[in-house]
């Protein structure tokens, strides 16, 4: 497959107006007194056709899920059905967050989604408020802290495996915990002895995803939970990899006490160029009272209401979270139903296993599920750049570090045999390319390799920093 | 074979793939111990797209069709159709964080322009590519203050929206900071009282203009001065529409400006927002979240890329400036498109309208028996406070029965938000108020 | 790879060097190579005290970030301010223009000779 991405070298619209500071200056006059207002405002003044043309051209210089394979490991880049977008855009859904009694439909949808997630995760209560996975982790850890404190138990440590997501470390630190890292065993799983040595009376929680970031299922998760629980800690499930397990196993049944879901991964809400996502937090019965406020429940009269759980940690979002993502995830779950959701996981796992057979790189840890981590045995970042020229988005690179030059690959269920073949060809091309070829890649993309060193040494972060001659 | 409408596999494909992998069934690929296997269902039946659309639409139709005159920290303006048309382009909507900048130039440039817009509006130098909402932006700003200055006290106005304060308190607790309210007087900071409160242990002072009641702050630079005297970080909350009109926060000494950019580009979305974060250049390595920068590519052409990533969690782990990864990039894109459509004239005109409307509507409220509006003498933006004889909750409830939603500020005070979105409904609202108060 | 390891300097296992004559401190040729292109160095101010084995600053490349550990107890008497604008000097001349701080110190203890350090890497 050959590929050439659009390259508009002279956009012709924003550039001369903004970059060269030739923008329109508007004198500001106001009913407010002069000392409270600005004198002028300098921004580009454009017609609607000009604005439309500009952003269409920008969209043509961007790679999305429908542009081709997007096996970005750990991110679950699956197809986002457009009808969910229409539903999120319904006028009846566009309501103000201070409303409660008069938005029974909104609350019913939220309650329905809470119920779906409870069943899918095997947990007893879910709050939809955290606006992203990291926010879900953070909310979960605040819950853990409140839970321990309510028992007069000050616990200052969160334990994570060395393969954990960077957000786990950062969320723990933000919640005021220090982080204890446990080395993985030779099989890539949690090493029970190392875990036992790491946990103790200061352990607030152990955070892990399952299957883990290598795609490998923690078969001893029940034993892991026993070790953590015996030490008095809580088990935290990072939901990033839930797309591997729908209908096969549930975090709640594995001994987890707190978890988050990533609606933008597992439940197909679009990633939006970086967000919004949604990271609902789910808990077992004993922790339900700590959920963020407000929480939705049935009002006992056929309707729904908002209430403050009795020991609530307070709020992790100014209002109710990322509502548009909640609508889309709810619609996706209703559309697929049980059969479709389970099938999605099955095909995701089959795709990963099939693709791994077709590529020229070793996969040191297995059996893996919805994703695998191959070892490029040469600079994985360079391999990725070569893959770009073959019309695919490359895998996540150089992480987790326990695999040498990692290529973390998650094709998701949306690729068929043909799409996987395109991906396999890209892997082969990168494996076979000589060093010079790799260093010169990519050639066919909108921009060539970008000078990251210059970008970091001399940051240019807005129009004002651009050194452009008039 | 497959039960999902979004998987392309035929039965033959699956057989062939299983053969290649060397297993007899998909089931064999799951390395899950028998005792952990889930045998139950999910209690949700698959539906056709049509059925799903009908189901969800019907659910949402349960929302009462009423006219909203409520703000209180979440505002929206009329969003032109072309914003949806452009932002819904699949290449924007379905892409993720720009880890491969060479194929992500479009979104990166859009975010660079969003950052630039905020730089122009605030007068500060560095804007990030978004955080979740105004509340989390405020929390991040206080955490940044604790990294760059010493002290443990965080001062916020005592009338700060409760949700925003709760998020802030959660954010700073882990860093050992304490949030305290400082007195406000008729919707503005009580500068004399604040002067009494500040000491060297203050690390962060927050001021909102307009605040949650719509009041424009008149003594911002004095508050900034007090903050500066004790080497605290001075943070101003203000939104992109208000900033088109108001004096740039940099001019009153702001070190950080935060709030919600989703006043542009997004209809009311039950509080979903787009937190923006703009600060001084000297704090560039302390900024949370993604930053987009410009740099040349191998052919020497200008290109865009995420930069200064060593601040972020995937590299710096527990010492990152924030745990944020997924942000609100698509909302930032929408805000940028909307701002581009408005242009400087459109933005200023819209902001002007946000000054005139509450002023005019407050006068009409004031003519209603039992209502004093505005409740106190200030300049208002989008929103004003009305004092009613009796219980504001009761009045708001009675108005809701007549199809109008207003905010309740406290005991006898209503918050009323009026913009170009609902201005044509003002006559009805005033009539309803007369009935309710009569 | 052959890395430059001047004989007259002393080394830490965390890849810093100190010139016992001048008290200047920096990172080794090996360390700069491991980090790659240095984009930022955060250093203490003059007059601040440093402790042996404790972090005195932070160094960042594009993809990594690390602490700088002091080889000795002492007081910072000079700081290489040029690194703020030209952090790449740590890459191009780690033992010369890429020096970081100059420390007034009393004793050196537990540091490695050039030969010992070479054994470490």
């Amino acid at each position: 497959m050959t590929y050439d991405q659009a390259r508009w070298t002279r956009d012709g619209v924003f550039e001369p107006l903004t970059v060269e500071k030739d923008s329109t200056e508007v004198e500001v006059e106001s009913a407010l007194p002069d000392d409270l207002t600005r004198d002028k405002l300098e921004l580009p003044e454009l017609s609607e056709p000009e604005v439309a043309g500009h952003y269409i051209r920008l969209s043509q210089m961007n790679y999305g899920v429908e542009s081709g394979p997007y096996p970005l490991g750990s991110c679950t880049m699956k197809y986002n059905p457009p009808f969910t977008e229409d539903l999120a855009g319904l006028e009846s859904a566009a309501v103000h967050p201070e409303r409660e009694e008069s938005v029974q439909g909104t609350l019913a949808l939220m309650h329905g989604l809470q119920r779906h997630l409870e069943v899918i995760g095997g947990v007893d209560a879910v709050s939809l408020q955290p606006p992203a996975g990291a926010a879900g982790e953070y909310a979960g850890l605040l819950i853990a802290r409140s839970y321990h404190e309510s028992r007069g138990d000050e616990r200052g440590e969160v334990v994570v495996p060395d393969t954990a997501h960077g957000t786990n470390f950062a969320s723990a630190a933000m919640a005021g915990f220090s982080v204890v890292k446990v080395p993985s065993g030779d099989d890539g799983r949690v090493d029970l002895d190392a875990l036992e040595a790491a946990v103790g009376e200061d352990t607030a929680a152990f955070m892990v995803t399952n299957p883990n970031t290598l795609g490998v299922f923690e078969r001893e998760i029940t034993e892991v939970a026993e070790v953590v629980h015996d030490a008095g800690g809580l088990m935290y499930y990072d939901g990033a990899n839930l797309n591997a397990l729908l209908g096969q196993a549930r975090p709640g049944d594995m001994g987890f006490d707190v978890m988050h879901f990533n609606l933008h991964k597992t439940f197909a809400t679009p990633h939006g160029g970086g967000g919004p996502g949604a990271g609902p937090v789910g808990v077992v019965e004993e922790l339900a009272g700590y959920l963020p406020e407000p929480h939705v429940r049935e009002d006992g009269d056929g309707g729904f209401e908002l209430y403050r759980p009795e020991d609530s940690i307070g709020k992790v979002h100014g209002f109710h979270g990322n509502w548009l993502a909640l609508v889309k995830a709810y619609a996706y779950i209703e559309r697929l139903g049980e059969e479709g959701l389970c099938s999605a996981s099955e095909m995701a796992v089959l795709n990963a296993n099939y693709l791994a057979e077709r590529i020229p790189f070793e996969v040191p840890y297995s059996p893996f599920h919805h994703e695998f981590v191959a070892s490029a045995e040469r600079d994985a970042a360079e391999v990725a750049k070569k893959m770009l020229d073959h019309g695919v988005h490359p895998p996540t690179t150089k992480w987790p570090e326990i695999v040498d030059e990692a290529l973390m690959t998650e094709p998701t269920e949306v690729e068929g045999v043909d799409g996987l073949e395109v991906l396999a060809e890209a892997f082969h091309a990168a494996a076979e390319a000589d060093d010079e070829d790799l260093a010169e890649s990519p050639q066919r993309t909108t921009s060539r390799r970008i000078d990251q060193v210059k970008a970091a040494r001399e940051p240019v972060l807005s129009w004002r920093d651009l050194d452009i001659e008039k | 074979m497959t039960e999902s409408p979004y998987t392309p596999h035929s039965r033959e494909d699956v057989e062939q793939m299983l053969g290649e992998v060397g297993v007899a069934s998909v089931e064999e690929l799951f390395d899950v111990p028998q005792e952990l296997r889930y045998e139950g269902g999910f209690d949700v039946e698959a539906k056709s797209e049509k059925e799903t659309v009908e189901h969800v639409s019907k659910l949402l139709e349960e929302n009462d069709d009423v006219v909203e005159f409520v703000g209180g920290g979440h505002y929206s303006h009329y969003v032109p159709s072309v914003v949806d048309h452009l932002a819904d382009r699949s290449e924007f909507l379905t892409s993720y964080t720009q880890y491969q900048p060479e194929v992500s130039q479009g979104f990166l440039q859009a975010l660079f322009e969003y950052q630039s817009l905020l730089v122009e509006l605030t007068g500060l130098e560095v804007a990030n590519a978004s955080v979740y909402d105004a509340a989390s932006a405020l929390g991040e700003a206080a955490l940044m203050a604790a990294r760059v200055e010493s002290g443990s006290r965080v001062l916020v106005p005592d009338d700060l929206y409760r949700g925003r304060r709760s998020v802030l308190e959660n954010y700073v607790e882990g860093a050992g900071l304490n949030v305290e309210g400082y007195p406000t007087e008729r919707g503005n900071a009580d500068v004399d009282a604040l002067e009494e409160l500040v000491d060297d242990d203050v690390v962060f002072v927050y001021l909102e203009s307009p605040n949650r009641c719509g009041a424009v702050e008149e003594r911002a630079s004095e508050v900034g001065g007090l903050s500066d005297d004790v080497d605290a970080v001075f943070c101003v909350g203000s939104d992109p529409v208000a900033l088109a009109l108001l004096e740039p926060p940099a001019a009153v000494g702001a070190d950080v400006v935060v709030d919600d950019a989703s006043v542009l580009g997004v209809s009311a979305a039950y509080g979903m927002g787009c937190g923006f974060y703009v600060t001084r250049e000297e704090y560039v390595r302390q900024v949370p979240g993604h930053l987009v920068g410009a740099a040349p590519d191998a052919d020497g052409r200008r290109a865009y890329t995420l930069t200064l990533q060593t601040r972020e969690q995937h590299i710096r782990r527990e010492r990152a400036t924030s745990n944020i990864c997924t942000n609100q990039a698509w909302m930032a894109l929408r805000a940028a498109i909307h701002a581009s459509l408005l242009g400087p004239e459109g933005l200023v005109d819209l902001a002007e309208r946000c000054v005139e409307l509450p002023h005019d509507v407050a006068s009409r409220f004031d003519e209603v028996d039992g209502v004093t509006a505005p409740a106190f003498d200030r300049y208002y933006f989008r929103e004003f406070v009305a004092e009613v004889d009796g219980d504001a909750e009761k009045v708001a409830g009675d108005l809701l029965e007549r199809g109008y939603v207003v905010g309740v500020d406290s005991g006898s005070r209503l918050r009323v938000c009026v913009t170009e979105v609902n201005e044509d409904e003002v006559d009805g609202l005033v009539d309803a108020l007369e009935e309710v108060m009569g | 790879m052959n890395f430059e390891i001047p004989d007259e300097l002393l080394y830490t296992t965390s890849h810093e060097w100190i010139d016992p004559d001048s008290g200047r401190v920096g990172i080794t040729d090996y360390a700069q190579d491991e980090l790659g292109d240095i984009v930022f160095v955060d250093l203490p101010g003059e007059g601040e005290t440093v402790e042996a084995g404790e972090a005195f600053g932070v160094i960042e490349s594009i993809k990594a970030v690390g602490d700088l550990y002091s080889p000795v107890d002492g007081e910072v008497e000079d700081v290489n301010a040029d690194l703020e604008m030209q952090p790449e000097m740590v890459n191009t001349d780690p033992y010369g223009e890429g020096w970081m701080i100059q420390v007034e110190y009393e004793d050196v203890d537990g540091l490695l000779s050039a030969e010992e350090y070479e054994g470490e890497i």
Side-chain angles (χ1 to χ4, degrees):
Chain A
M1 183 156 143
T2 59
Y3 171 76
D4 285 287
Q5 192 177 27
R7 181 184 291 177
W8 294 92
T9 49
R10 190 80 185 148
D11 178 87
V13 179
F14 269 47
E15 295 274 304
L17 284 166
T18 56
V19 170
E20 296 171 24
K21 294 302 283 179
D22 200 12
S23 50
T24 308
E25 192 176 295
V26 171
E27 303 287 327
V28 177
E29 286 175 45
S30 170
L32 296 178
D34 281 352
D35 63 338
L36 294 183
T37 55
R38 63 168 69 234
D39 302 328
K40 57 178 184 154
L41 179 63
E42 210 174 2
L43 287 171
E45 183 77 55
L46 301 164
S47 66
E48 180 167 325
E50 287 170 308
V51 171
H54 174 68
Y55 285 101
I56 290 293
R57 283 189 287 277
L58 291 190
S59 74
Q60 290 167 343
M61 298 191 286
N62 216 61
Y63 190 97
V65 162
E66 284 147 60
S67 307
Y70 208 136
L72 189 65
S74 195
C75 299
T76 315
M77 303 301 294
K78 57 168 78 176
Y79 179 70
N80 310 130
F83 83 93
T84 64
E85 216 57 46
D86 297 343
L87 290 171
L90 286 175
E91 207 174 320
S92 54
V95 299
H96 190 277
E98 283 187 21
R99 290 175 64 186
E100 182 180 346
E101 302 92 336
S102 65
V103 290
Q104 287 298 307
T106 296
L107 298 186
L109 186 146
M110 290 173 74
H111 190 263
L113 182 57
Q114 285 173 197
R115 283 292 302 144
H116 284 327
L117 296 178
E118 285 163 20
V119 176
I120 290 168
V123 289
D124 296 309
V126 167
S127 163
L128 306 174
Q129 199 178 103
E137 293 172 13
Y138 168 71
L141 291 171
L142 293 181
I143 289 169
R145 188 174 68 190
S146 293
Y147 164 78
H148 291 304
E149 280 173 4
S150 75
R151 297 151 56 95
D153 200 0
E154 298 275 339
R155 287 171 176 255
E157 288 176 358
V158 165
V159 182
V160 298
D162 56 1
T163 54
H165 295 115
T167 50
N168 290 177
F169 297 82
S171 298
M174 250 173 92
F177 294 106
S178 52
V179 181
V180 178
K181 203 159 81 169
V182 197
S184 302
D186 292 342
D187 59 357
R189 298 185 172 94
V190 175
D191 180 334
L192 270 177
D193 292 336
L195 179 68
E196 213 149 347
V199 300
E201 58 186 24
D202 211 22
T203 303
F206 175 61
M207 301 178 85
V208 68
T209 183
N210 196 16
N212 62 25
T213 52
L214 298 165
V216 174
F217 193 82
E218 299 283 354
R219 288 186 62 90
E220 295 182 311
I221 195 66
T222 311
E223 290 79 6
V224 167
E226 250 175 57
V227 168
V228 173
H229 287 150
D230 284 350
L234 295 177
M235 285 285 287
Y236 186 97
Y237 182 86
D238 177 335
N241 292 344
L242 193 60
N243 203 47
L245 283 189
L246 295 173
Q248 300 289 333
R250 308 189 304 171
D253 301 333
M254 300 174 201
F256 286 98
D257 306 294
V258 195
M259 69 174 294
H260 78 264
F261 301 82
N262 294 85
L263 300 188
H264 47 294
K265 297 180 184 178
T266 316
F267 303 107
T269 78
H271 282 69
V281 59
V283 294
V284 295
E285 184 81 54
E286 198 179 354
L287 301 175
Y290 297 97
L291 286 178
E293 63 154 328
H295 189 230
V296 183
R297 69 180 173 197
E298 287 171 299
D299 66 2
D301 207 17
F304 299 91
E305 64 182 6
L306 296 169
Y307 75 105
R308 180 182 192 280
E310 54 182 353
D311 299 311
S312 175
I313 56 167
K315 295 182 68 59
V316 294
H317 183 270
F319 297 100
H320 308 281
N322 278 337
W323 161 253
L324 296 177
L326 305 182
V327 180
K328 295 173 204 178
Y330 178 77
Y332 178 79
I333 292 170
E334 288 285 329
R335 168 85 171 100
L336 263 63
E338 183 177 310
E339 303 86 344
L341 291 169
C342 295
S343 169
S345 277
E346 288 173 1
M347 292 305 110
V349 172
L350 178 60
N351 276 357
N353 277 273
Y354 177 79
L355 180 61
E357 294 290 333
R358 311 282 301 166
I359 66 168
F361 299 113
E362 289 299 317
V363 180
Y365 295 97
S366 63
F368 47 81
H369 292 76
H370 68 309
E371 71 186 4
F372 60 82
V373 183
S375 174
E377 289 173 6
R378 62 198 297 193
D379 190 329
E382 301 257 309
V383 166
K385 297 304 179 201
K386 180 66 186 172
M387 290 179 75
L388 289 172
D389 273 341
H390 289 261
V392 307
H393 196 287
T396 298
T397 58
K398 297 200 178 241
W399 185 80
E401 284 107 349
I402 68 167
V403 173
D404 178 42
E405 298 296 342
L407 294 167
M408 187 192 216
T409 313
E410 182 185 8
T412 83
E413 69 273 20
V414 304
E415 294 306 333
V417 177
D418 294 344
L420 295 170
E421 213 49 53
V422 170
L423 262 176
E425 279 171 28
F427 275 103
H428 275 281
E432 287 151 19
D434 59 35
D435 287 349
E436 197 184 342
D437 186 359
L438 281 199
E440 290 294 313
S441 300
Q443 302 274 357
R444 297 169 170 275
T445 49
T446 301
S447 86
R448 301 274 318 282
R449 201 79 69 88
I450 296 162
D451 188 344
Q452 296 292 343
V453 175
K454 191 173 170 67
R457 279 185 186 155
E458 302 156 45
V460 172
L461 303 174
S462 80
W463 296 328
R464 285 189 181 189
D465 299 336
L466 283 168
D467 185 20
I468 301 287
E469 284 178 32
K470 279 216 173 194
Chain B
M1 173 74 190
T2 72
E3 309 289 343
S4 164
Y6 311 123
T7 51
H9 310 72
S10 69
R11 191 180 297 268
E12 293 73 28
D13 290 341
V14 172
E15 291 306 323
Q16 184 229 319
M17 293 168 78
L18 289 171
E20 181 94 10
V21 175
V23 291
S25 72
V26 177
E27 206 58 13
E28 283 181 41
L29 295 172
F30 290 90
D31 183 35
V32 178
Q34 196 53 43
E35 65 274 17
L36 289 178
R37 295 264 178 171
Y38 178 59
E39 306 294 346
F42 286 165
D43 196 24
V44 52
E45 292 293 314
K47 296 175 184 60
S48 68
E49 180 177 309
K50 180 165 174 287
E51 287 165 342
T52 314
V53 167
E54 283 165 1
H55 166 68
V56 177
S57 306
K58 206 165 152 232
L59 205 57
L60 290 170
E61 277 161 22
E62 292 295 311
N63 287 343
D64 296 348
D65 185 13
V66 294
V67 185
E68 295 178 345
F69 284 92
V70 59
H74 184 71
Y75 309 96
S76 45
H77 290 283
Y78 174 75
V79 181
S81 166
V82 68
V83 175
D84 280 332
H85 171 73
L86 296 171
D88 281 353
R89 288 281 294 199
S90 149
E91 300 90 329
F92 285 141
L93 182 65
T94 69
S95 62
Y96 193 38
T97 304
Q98 298 73 25
Y99 296 122
Q100 297 293 342
E102 297 86 352
V103 286
S104 312
Q105 286 298 299
F107 217 122
L108 286 163
Q109 185 175 340
L111 290 172
F112 184 82
E113 288 165 1
Y114 162 84
Q115 292 175 182
S116 301
L117 172 78
L118 290 167
V119 164
E120 294 293 335
L121 285 168
T122 59
L124 294 171
E125 294 90 15
V126 180
N128 79 2
S130 77
V131 293
Y132 309 130
D133 66 347
S136 70
L138 174 59
E140 294 282 11
L143 287 177
M144 185 184 85
R147 290 193 294 273
V148 301
E149 298 290 350
S150 57
S152 69
R153 299 174 68 203
V154 167
L155 299 183
V156 301
D158 62 5
D159 61 357
L160 181 65
Y161 165 64
R162 202 176 60 83
R164 209 165 279 185
R165 178 156 173 168
S166 178
V167 172
L168 171 65
E169 285 172 352
N170 271 332
Y171 263 71
V172 302
E173 194 183 339
L177 306 181
N178 294 308
V179 180
E180 298 168 45
Y182 62 79
T184 50
E185 191 199 9
R186 296 180 295 119
N188 269 199
D190 182 339
V191 176
D192 296 334
L194 183 61
E195 189 166 5
E196 294 291 309
L197 272 176
V198 293
D199 63 20
D200 285 343
D201 196 30
V202 173
V203 72
F204 184 78
V205 177
Y206 180 59
L207 181 74
E208 260 173 23
S209 181
N211 73 357
R212 71 177 294 243
C213 299
V216 175
E217 176 61 50
E218 290 164 45
R219 298 170 74 184
S221 55
E222 289 172 64
V223 175
L226 289 176
S227 177
D228 202 39
D229 286 346
V230 294
D231 286 333
V233 167
F234 180 41
C235 179
V236 171
S238 190
D239 71 72
V241 177
L243 287 170
L245 196 58
L246 297 178
E247 189 171 22
V252 297
D255 301 303
V256 195
V257 183
V258 297
D259 214 308
D260 197 330
S262 76
V263 296
L264 290 174
V266 192
S267 303
Y270 212 43
M272 179 168 174
C274 175
F276 72 79
Y277 192 103
V278 200
T279 189
R280 295 190 183 284
E281 191 168 15
E282 63 179 294
Y283 300 139
V284 65
R285 286 171 194 279
Q286 294 297 335
V287 170
H290 304 320
L291 284 171
V292 177
D297 76 356
D299 291 339
R301 283 193 306 247
R302 188 193 316 136
Y304 302 90
T305 181
L306 295 179
T307 191
L308 303 176
Q309 291 189 72
T310 47
R311 298 166 297 108
E312 297 192 52
Q313 47 77 29
H314 61 284
I315 294 177
R316 219 185 197 106
R317 308 275 150 141
E318 64 269 33
R319 292 170 65 194
T321 54
S322 169
N323 69 338
I324 192 168
C325 176
T326 294
N327 57 12
Q328 303 285 112
W330 189 64
M331 313 293 274
L333 170 73
R334 296 184 65 102
I337 298 173
H338 194 176
S340 309
L341 286 166
L342 288 167
E345 282 198 46
L347 273 167
V348 171
D349 287 350
L350 178 60
E352 253 315 294
R353 200 78 191 114
C354 292
V355 174
E356 291 159 8
L357 280 168
H359 179 265
D360 296 350
V361 177
S363 323
R364 295 190 59 187
F365 266 49
D366 198 46
E367 286 166 21
V368 176
D369 283 343
V371 180
T372 309
F376 35 79
D377 187 24
R378 287 291 176 203
Y379 299 105
Y380 288 95
F381 195 88
R382 285 199 196 97
E383 201 164 11
F384 65 91
V385 178
E387 184 89 38
V388 294
D389 289 348
D391 181 16
E393 285 281 359
K394 167 93 172 56
V395 173
D398 292 345
L399 284 172
L400 180 58
E401 276 177 25
R402 287 161 177 80
Y404 300 94
V405 185
V406 297
V408 175
D409 187 50
S410 61
S412 59
R413 284 180 174 176
L414 298 175
R415 271 184 288 110
V416 182
C417 176
V418 52
T419 66
E420 84 289 357
V421 174
N422 56 13
E423 65 173 312
D424 294 340
E425 306 282 349
V426 168
D427 289 348
L429 173 67
V430 174
D431 288 349
L433 185 68
E434 274 170 350
E435 265 179 58
V436 168
M437 298 305 295
Chain C
M1 277 278 240
N2 272 332
F3 296 106
E4 197 189 338
I5 306 174
D7 285 339
E8 66 276 19
L9 304 179
L10 295 172
Y11 299 89
T12 65
T13 50
S14 50
H15 312 293
E16 289 85 9
W17 56 261
I18 182 168
D19 178 347
D21 293 337
S22 65
R24 280 194 174 180
V25 172
I27 65 166
T28 64
D29 190 23
Y30 170 81
Q32 70 78 20
D33 186 72
E34 282 286 298
L35 282 162
D37 291 309
I38 308 295
V39 297
F40 181 66
V41 186
D42 187 26
L43 298 175
E46 281 173 37
E48 289 187 33
T49 54
V50 294
E51 273 182 63
E54 296 294 316
F56 69 82
V58 174
I59 187 161
E60 290 184 19
S61 65
I62 293 297
K63 293 266 152 55
V65 53
D67 282 322
L68 298 164
Y69 295 99
S70 177
V72 291
D73 291 341
E75 188 180 310
V76 179
E77 34 172 32
D78 199 4
V79 175
N80 186 358
D82 292 341
L83 292 183
E84 191 179 336
M85 294 311 292
Q86 294 166 278
E88 61 270 26
M89 293 193 307
V90 177
N91 292 121
T92 54
D93 191 8
Y95 300 107
E97 286 184 315
W99 70 278
M100 292 170 181
I101 54 174
Q102 187 170 321
V103 182
E104 193 183 333
Y105 68 99
E106 303 244 315
D107 304 304
V108 293
D109 188 26
L111 297 178
L112 308 175
S113 67
E115 200 179 333
E116 288 166 332
Y117 179 68
E118 191 172 8
E120 282 287 314
I121 60 175

